[in-house]
Amino acid sequence: MRYALGTVLSLPLSLMLIGLLAAGLPMPWQEWLVLQLVAAVLLWMLLVLLVALPAKAKPILVALGVANLAAWLALQATPLYGVGA
């Protein structure tokens, strides 16, 4: 159950973090779309690995949930996704 929740919670987080990176860089995001996908998959794998390492699952899953909320709120403030879209 811990691995399933870690996988489900870390995928949107990795995609939102790459989206924040795309919104923060001064170049068009369409030019490096494939690199974004590769970076998101690598970040997703790293987050799943971080979920699998600790002995207690609850704190890391709560941290992933909070990080998802924080990344979503930050994305809403960017002109690429939220305010200026």
Side-chain angles (χ1 to χ4, degrees), residues 32-72:
W32 58 291
L33 192 60
V34 173
L35 186 60
Q36 287 179 27
L37 180 61
V38 170
V41 169
L42 289 175
L43 182 60
W44 183 31
M45 290 171 28
L46 177 70
L47 288 171
V48 169
L49 179 68
L50 288 176
V51 168
L53 287 179
K56 296 188 180 203
K58 198 167 201 167
I60 193 74
L61 291 176
V62 169
L64 274 176
V66 169
N68 271 313
L69 179 63
W72 180 76

Side-chain angles (χ1 to χ4, degrees), residues 16-26 32 36 39 75:
M16 285 189 284
L17 289 176
I18 295 298
L20 282 170
L21 179 68
L25 290 177
W32 58 291
Q36 287 179 27
L75 272 177

